[in-house]
Every structure is written in C-alpha cells, then in structure tokens.
Amino acid sequence: MGYRVAVAGATGAVGREMLTTLAERDFPADEVVALASERSAGNEVSYGEDKVLKVRDLASFDFKGLDIALFSPGSSVSAVHAPRAAKAGCVVIDNTSQFRMDPDVPLVVPEVNAQAIAGYTKRNIIANPNCSTIQMVVALKPLHDAATIKRVVVATYQSVSGAGKEAMDELFEQTRGIYMNQPMKRHRFTKQIAFNVIPHIDAFMEDGATKEEWKMAAETRKILDSGIKVHATCVRVPVFIGHAEAVNVEFENPLSYEEATAALKNAPGISVIDHRADEGYVTPAESAGEDFVYVSRIRKDPTVENGISMWVVADNLRKGAALNAVQIAEELIRTYMRKAA
Ligand SMILES: NC(=O)c1ccc[n+]([C@@H]2O[C@H](COP(=O)([O-])OP(=O)(O)OC[C@H]3O[C@@H](n4cnc5c(N)ncnc54)[C@H](OP(=O)(O)O)[C@@H]3O)[C@@H](O)[C@H]2O)c1
C-alpha cells in the first residue's frame, strides 16, 4: 500500500523538479496529484519519463485522504492552503519562507537535523529551508561536529532559477535582447541581470541587510546551532541553475586542512572535489541536475587563529528545494508514518 501525495506549485521551477525527483527516486506513491493556480488548471505536467498529470486548482482541492503534500506555490499561497491541508490530516512539507521560523514547525535538512522531523505533529507542517541555507549547512555540519563553529562569513552567487521560472525567462530574454540590440526589459529583477551581478535578493531590512541574508543567518541557527554567528552577502548572478557560495568559517578549536577535508569527505550528501589545479573544482553549471553538495577550494584562513575557507556549490532546484523536500518525505514515511505492506 503506497501513499497519496500532492505537489502544490507543480507548474513552477521547484514543483516540476519535485515531480521529477519523486519519480526518479521511486517514491512509494499510489497517487500523485499536481496542483497550481486556477490559471493552470487543466494543463499537463510530466511525472517521470512517460506519465503526465492534469493540473488541478489548489484553491478548490480537498486534501482529505492525502498523506503528504509538497508545497511551493509562494509564501502567501502556502499561508492559506498549507494549514488547510494540514487540518485535513495531510502532512505538508513547505518550501516557502512562510513557516520556517515558526517554533512549532521543524526546519529540516535531513543530513543535518533529521531528528527534528519528530516535531511535525504540532502543526502537521515541516518547513524546507532557503536554498542557500540548505547547501551551506550540509557543508558546515561535519566541520561544526569537528571543531565547533563560532562565526561564518559567506558571499553567495545565486542562479536566477532561485527566483522562479519567470526569472529564468528574464535572463534568457535580456541576453537575447542584448545580442539583437533590443531595449532592455525588467520584470523580476531590480537591475539588468544579463551580463551583470545584483547584490540584492529579497527585501531590504532596517539594518541594511536583505531578507535573504537574514534568512541564511536565522535558519542556520535554527537548524544547526543557535550559537553560530552568520554574516551573509547574497548576490544574484546570470547563471540559470546552481548556487555557489564562498564560505569562510571560524572555529572554537583548531582544525587542520587535512582534518577539515576528511570530515567533509566522510559526511553524507557531500562530494569533495578539490584538486588545486585547472578544472579541479566544481562550478554551478556542473552541479545542475546533480544531488550532491560539492565542496572545492578548501584552505586554511591564516588571518584568524582557527579558520577555513571553502567553495560550496549545489543545484538549488534539487538539494536546495525539491530533493531536500523529498528526502524529508522519505524520512517521514520511514520513521513516523510507515504503512502496513
Ligand atoms: N527556486 C528555488 O530555488 C527555490 C528554492 C527554495 C524555495 N523556493 C520557494 O518555492 C516557492 C516557489 O518557487 P518557484 O521557483 O517554483 O516559483 P515559480 O517558478 O514562479 O512557480 C510558482 C508556482 O506556484 C504556483 N502558484 C502561484 N500562485 C498560485 C496560487 N494563487 N495558487 C496556487 N498556485 C499558485 C504557480 O502556478 P501557476 O503556474 O498556475 O501560476 C507555480 O506552480 C517560492 O516560495 C520560493 O521562494 C524556491
């Protein structure tokens, strides 16, 4: 007997990747329901190699009898419909920022804090962290276990798919427009993104940080350790898929380059590719479509007593969103809601 699963936001960048990931990993689903706005109702989306699903309107969908719903329809939509699904008895794994800091909602990266899933019963909702946070905490966890992290300074290089399918179209259209000498059109981004970089993701806050930068700090503390200080600068770059991060970490205790590398190599979900030579590191283009968090350019930071710098890359739509959510669902059914065979 399998599970009845819904994917809300199924026509979006994350939702499509969720359907692909569920099919690729043979998630034990008897039924998968694709949900989006009423604009898309009746359209079709692919599920695996040879199946298509008819999209249904989230607003009028009754979640009764569903076991798990993977949500990515945007925060304001999740705010209304995730609690409605949860109330109908369906466990919601939500990708938006809506519930991440709710003390009654676990914020989970399975390689880091799978045990936190147990708290889902309070609201029947589990939150998936921000894409930049996920790949960073996967890399930080083994280092924190080895030498206790005090402070992290990170600069991100985030792809446009992190802002959804329309943002991907905008990079494509602007790039084409430049070659064809057409006027620049902006919709999703505050400045030109083609052949440019933008040091601004999400809204500005009172202290001058952006919300994306705040999320990286607050979410890392909730997932990994409330004692870790994080200072982030988040930047959008003209890359379609794959986020990169230059991460500088300061530790309580000494940690050699060899110890840091060994800890990272032995950790789940990480692939260390670090050859200190041409092509001896991973870039976002190579991470697209892959499940690993890649770590390259590991080196001591000689300007502090105990410091390491590294380059962390992952596919933001997979580990940064869909894969992490499906891994949570897998752990949920393995440990908490196993059905009789
Ligand atoms: N992209 C990433 O790397 C990433 C990573 C982590 C978290 N997230 C979060 O996941 C969410 C979705 O991101 P995305 O990149 O997939 O965005 P997207 O490509 O713009 O897709 C948005 C999805 O939400 C649906 N939707 C919009 N308004 C709706 C409504 N009123 N009712 C029902 N469905 C509605 C859309 O359906 P229609 O096609 O019918 O409009 C579409 O399926 C955002 O909250 C984002 O912050 C994204």
Side-chain angles (χ1 to χ4, degrees):
M1 209 166 88
Y3 296 83
R4 296 184 69 203
V5 178
V7 173
T11 54
V14 172
R16 285 176 190 274
E17 200 66 42
M18 283 173 167
L19 290 169
T20 302
T21 308
L22 286 169
E24 270 180 16
R25 293 171 72 91
D26 275 332
F27 191 85
D30 274 354
E31 184 187 353
V32 177
V33 183
L35 303 168
S37 76
E38 65 174 350
R39 295 179 292 273
S40 308
N43 292 353
E44 290 182 337
V45 285
S46 302
Y47 174 56
E49 296 274 292
D50 43 19
K51 287 198 196 110
V52 285
L53 305 174
K54 265 228 164 21
V55 177
R56 295 164 72 176
D57 180 9
L58 167 65
S60 57
F61 183 75
D62 183 355
F63 285 90
K64 215 157 168 221
L66 272 280
D67 297 298
I68 296 173
L70 307 178
F71 262 65
S72 64
S75 297
S76 59
V77 181
S78 278
V80 176
H81 297 289
R84 187 170 69 76
K87 215 168 164 196
C90 175
V91 181
V92 174
I93 301 169
D94 184 53
N95 262 267
T96 77
S97 57
Q98 183 62 32
F99 304 100
R100 289 180 191 151
M101 298 313 292
D102 184 326
D104 290 335
V105 172
L107 183 64
V108 177
V109 177
E111 294 88 341
V112 181
N113 66 337
Q115 75 290 346
I117 293 175
Y120 82 92
T121 48
K122 289 188 188 146
R123 291 199 64 182
N124 246 10
I125 300 175
I126 300 167
N128 216 41
N130 180 269
C131 39
S132 310
T133 309
I134 292 177
Q135 67 183 66
M136 185 171 79
V137 295
V138 168
L140 292 180
K141 163 77 173 154
L143 301 178
H144 189 51
D145 289 345
T148 310
I149 295 171
K150 285 202 301 198
R151 176 172 184 255
V152 177
V153 179
V154 53
T156 70
Y157 303 71
Q158 296 179 226
S159 69
V160 294
S161 58
K165 60 184 179 201
E166 284 174 12
M168 297 174 81
D169 293 345
E170 187 159 330
L171 172 59
F172 182 82
E173 293 300 334
Q174 284 188 1
T175 306
R176 188 169 65 175
I178 286 170
Y179 282 116
M180 299 185 69
N181 217 11
Q182 288 168 344
M184 179 67 51
K185 285 199 192 124
R186 283 193 275 115
H187 304 289
R188 295 295 300 258
F189 294 113
T190 50
K191 296 218 178 195
Q192 173 185 324
I193 185 64
F195 304 101
N196 202 8
V197 297
I198 306 174
H200 173 193
I201 301 179
D202 211 331
F204 277 98
M205 301 179 68
E206 222 161 69
D207 64 356
T210 64
K211 193 82 189 284
E212 185 85 351
E213 291 156 357
W214 174 84
K215 282 180 213 164
M216 286 192 79
E219 293 178 15
T220 298
R221 285 197 287 272
K222 180 166 174 179
I223 299 162
L224 190 55
D225 189 327
S226 58
I228 296 177
K229 293 178 185 159
V230 178
H231 185 71
T233 301
C234 293
V235 181
R236 190 72 72 189
V237 297
V239 166
F240 281 105
I241 293 176
H243 288 358
E245 297 174 346
V247 188
N248 177 263
V249 193
E250 197 179 340
F251 302 93
E252 202 78 56
N253 305 313
L255 187 72
S256 67
Y257 158 76
E258 290 77 14
E259 288 167 334
T261 303
L264 289 161
K265 277 187 173 163
N266 290 328
I270 295 178
S271 172
V272 173
I273 297 190
D274 192 19
H275 299 303
R276 298 184 170 184
D278 294 356
E279 302 184 27
Y281 42 83
V282 173
T283 61
E286 293 136 1
S287 77
E290 302 294 329
D291 288 349
F292 279 119
V293 171
Y294 293 96
V295 183
S296 308
R297 303 288 328 276
I298 305 164
R299 61 211 189 276
K300 286 285 283 181
D301 173 1
T303 66
V304 292
E305 206 181 334
N306 302 311
I308 290 279
S309 285
M310 59 187 172
W311 175 248
V312 179
V313 178
D315 181 332
N316 52 292
L317 296 177
R318 287 184 77 95
K319 186 56 194 165
L323 172 64
N324 198 70
V326 173
Q327 286 174 317
I328 293 171
E330 288 170 347
E331 180 60 24
L332 189 66
I333 61 172
R334 194 180 304 127
T335 311
Y336 303 95
M337 51 191 290
R338 185 183 282 278
K339 285 195 177 180

